[in-house]
Amino acid sequence: MFSTKQLDSFKKRTTPFYFYDLNLFRKTLEQIKEHGVSKGYHIHYALKANSHPQILAEIVKAGLSADCVSGGEVERATECGFSPNKIAFAGVGKRDIEIEIGLKNNILCFNVESVQELQVIDQLASQNNQTARVALRINPNVDANTHKYITTGLKENKFGINEKDLPDIFKLLPTLNNIELVGIHFHIGSQIEKLEPFKKLCLRANELNDIFENKGYTLTIINVGGGFGINYSNPDENGIPDFKKFFGTFEKHINLKPHQQLHFELGRSVVGQSGSLITRVLFTKTGIEKNFAIIDAGMTELIRPALYQAKHEIQIISDHANRPEKQYEIVGPICESSDVFRTGYEIAELKRGDILAIRSCGAYGEVMKSQYNLRHEIGTAFSDETE
Ligand code: LLP
C-alpha cells in the first residue's frame, strides 16, 4: 500500500499526521463519474466527511456538487470553487445566520427538516426579497442496519419530517410566498454495507414522489442522500467501493418522472479509503493479562473507535522483518479509558519508534479531531504518486 518513497518521507515527519493518497482518491472519483455521473445523476459530496481544501479542490475538478450542513461548510464550499447552484444545505438545526448565508449565496436548495424551519426560511427569504428553493427531508422509516449513532431514517430519529406532518405541510405550502418546493430528500444513515436498505429507500421514495405529484407539485429533485459504506476490515483489497452496484440499485428501483433528477449525497465512500492516520509507537508494556502498545495518536486525532466502537485496520509499515506476531491492546495517550484503537489485535511484535498506519481514515477522521488535552495541532500530507 505504501511505497518506499512514501515511507521514507514518513520517517522524516513528526507524527501523528493524516496522509492522503491522491492517486486512489482520483481513481475513486473516476468510478463515481463512470457509474453515477454518466447516468445523469447529480452527486453531491458531503463536506462533513472531509473538508480539507485540497480534497475539495479534487472534487470540484471532478465536477461534483456539494452537500453542506452548516453555514461554515457553505462558505468553505464556495471558497473552494463549488458553484452555489450546486450546493444543497441540509441539517436539522440551522441558525438564522446560517440560513442567511445560504440565501445570500443563492444556493441550489435548502433541505428542510421541520415545519417550523420551513416557516423561518420563508420569513428570512421574504425579508431579503428572495425565493428560497427547498427540498423537504422526509423520514422514510427505513432501517439502515448500521450503528445506532449513525442511523438517521427511523421514525424515532430526530431527522427529517415525519409522514404524519405532510397534511400540515400541504396546507402550509400555498401560504409561503417565498418558498419554492423543488424536491424531496432522504438520508437513512451512514456506513450501510448492504444494498437492501437502499432498495427499500427507493420503494418509499417512489411512494412519496407519487403523493407529491398527485398533489400537483412538480418536483425536480429526488435526493436519496448518502450512506454507502466502505470496507474497514480490508482496505487494500477494497480500496474503491463498488459504485457500479450502488448506483445500479437506484437505477433499477427508483421511478423518476421525465422532468426529475436523481441526487445523492456521498461522503464516506468518496474519501474514506484514501486517508490514513500515520502514527508511531511510543511505548510498549506488558500488563497482567495483555500487552499494551501506546501510540502517539489518540482519540483526539481519530475519535471513531471511542465513539462508535469502530474498528480500523492498523498496519506496521516500517521495517519489521522476522518479528513474531503478538496480540496487543493498541491505545492512545489521552487520559480516557475509551482511548483504545484495538483490543486483542494480532500484529508483528511492536517496538518503540515503529511507524503504523491506521487505515480507512479519510472520512470522519481529520474533521472530527479535537484539541482535548491541549494536544498540538497535527499535520497533513498528500501524495499523488502513482504505482
Ligand atoms: N447526507 C446527510 C443528510 C447526512 O447526514 C450524511 C452523514 C451524509 C449525507 C453523508 O453520509 P455518508 O455517505 O458519509 O455515509 N461521523 C460518523 C458518520 C456520521 C454521518 C453523518 N451524516 C462516522 O464517523 O461514522
Side-chain angles (χ1 to χ4, degrees):
M1 163 67 198
F2 298 98
S3 69
T4 321
K5 196 168 137 208
Q6 285 165 347
L7 188 57
D8 284 345
S9 81
F10 293 173
K11 284 181 185 153
K12 290 181 204 127
R13 289 187 71 115
T14 310
T15 46
F17 63 91
Y18 271 94
F19 169 77
Y20 296 100
D21 177 348
L22 289 177
N23 182 37
L24 178 63
F25 186 42
R26 287 173 190 151
K27 282 189 186 156
T28 308
L29 290 170
E30 282 307 316
Q31 289 291 301
I32 293 172
K33 287 204 276 187
E34 184 177 332
H35 300 294
V37 179
S38 68
K39 294 196 172 107
Y41 300 160
H42 295 245
I43 322 286
H44 297 252
Y45 167 68
L47 265 80
K48 66 171 84 66
N50 189 320
S51 48
H52 194 290
Q54 253 175 283
I55 294 290
L56 296 185
E58 296 290 331
I59 288 169
V60 168
K61 228 190 289 167
L64 302 194
S65 303
D67 163 42
C68 301
V69 284
S70 70
E73 283 190 357
V74 173
E75 287 169 340
R76 173 70 61 89
T78 54
E79 280 157 21
C80 289
F82 286 96
S83 139
N85 65 13
K86 286 183 151 190
I87 297 178
F89 184 4
V92 69
K94 305 175 186 75
R95 288 180 300 148
D96 292 13
I97 190 177
E98 296 179 294
I99 295 171
E100 299 274 6
I101 292 171
L103 289 170
K104 197 178 76 210
N105 283 288
N106 197 18
I107 57 169
L108 171 70
C109 75
F110 292 88
N111 294 340
V112 168
E113 305 219 12
S114 64
V115 178
Q116 204 168 32
E117 183 189 341
L118 198 56
Q119 290 166 315
V120 170
I121 295 180
D122 179 62
Q123 238 169 41
L124 295 174
S126 147
Q127 284 163 20
N128 292 317
N129 286 321
Q130 266 182 281
T131 301
R133 284 173 295 276
V134 156
L136 296 176
R137 175 170 181 178
I138 300 172
N139 188 329
N141 197 24
V142 170
D143 192 352
N145 294 321
T146 183
H147 190 279
K148 65 179 188 306
Y149 286 3
I150 50 178
T151 192
T152 51
L154 286 174
K155 60 179 187 293
E156 69 265 28
N157 294 134
K158 69 178 175 181
F159 299 99
I161 294 170
N162 221 286
E163 219 184 316
K164 74 164 176 44
D165 291 330
L166 285 184
D168 286 346
I169 298 256
F170 288 130
K171 252 187 251 151
L172 183 67
L173 274 171
T175 70
L176 304 176
N177 296 325
N178 297 74
I179 293 283
E180 182 193 354
L181 182 68
V182 292
I184 45 177
H185 169 235
F186 310 91
H187 174 75
I188 54 174
S190 198
Q191 185 51 20
I192 301 168
E193 294 175 66
K194 300 252 160 61
L195 293 169
E196 190 59 24
F198 294 116
K199 178 182 164 189
K200 285 192 188 143
L201 169 62
C202 287
L203 304 181
R204 288 292 291 130
N206 292 341
E207 286 168 12
L208 286 152
N209 192 359
D210 285 342
I211 292 177
F212 277 83
E213 292 275 323
N214 290 339
K215 283 271 171 196
Y217 290 99
T218 310
L219 304 177
T220 326
I221 298 176
I222 306 298
N223 184 338
V224 287
F228 190 32
I230 61 171
N231 190 329
Y232 281 95
S233 50
N234 223 333
D236 282 327
E237 273 168 45
N238 299 281
I240 303 180
D242 193 340
F243 287 108
K244 188 171 180 209
K245 275 201 183 143
F246 174 72
F247 290 118
T249 303
F250 288 89
E251 187 178 23
K252 189 155 168 211
H253 298 290
I254 202 96
N255 295 333
L256 295 181
K257 324 269 176 210
H259 56 274
Q260 290 183 329
Q261 306 167 344
L262 189 59
H263 289 237
F264 292 85
E265 298 168 344
L266 295 174
R268 188 189 318 263
S269 54
V270 183
V271 68
Q273 296 290 39
S274 301
S276 297
L277 178 58
I278 310 296
T279 170
R280 276 188 175 83
V281 176
L282 288 174
F283 308 110
T284 57
K285 67 176 177 185
T286 313
I288 306 296
E289 275 162 12
K290 44 191 167 188
N291 305 308
F292 289 98
I294 302 147
I295 61 177
D296 64 6
M299 63 194 288
T300 38
E301 284 69 46
L302 180 69
I303 201 173
R304 302 195 70 260
L307 193 56
Y308 318 111
Q309 300 77 50
K311 291 194 173 82
H312 288 252
E313 282 305 294
I314 303 180
Q315 295 168 345
I316 171 164
I317 56 175
S318 51
D319 182 31
H320 57 283
N322 305 322
R323 291 198 206 158
E325 292 261 307
K326 254 176 112 166
Q327 248 193 24
Y328 286 95
E329 178 138 327
I330 302 184
V331 302
I334 307 303
C335 306
E336 297 275 347
S337 302
S338 58
D339 188 25
V340 174
F341 287 100
R342 295 297 300 244
T343 48
Y345 195 63
E346 292 270 350
I347 191 167
E349 188 178 6
L350 294 173
K351 299 200 160 98
R352 174 171 165 80
D354 284 341
I355 302 180
L356 308 182
I358 306 181
R359 304 291 306 278
S360 314
C361 290
Y364 308 110
E366 196 174 357
V367 279
M368 292 180 81
K369 72 181 165 36
S370 77
Q371 249 70 61
Y372 179 45
N373 283 194
L374 273 192
R375 298 271 288 167
H376 288 154
E377 188 60 76
I378 64 167
T380 309
F382 291 86
S383 163
D384 56 6
E385 194 180 299
T386 47
E387 73 275 17

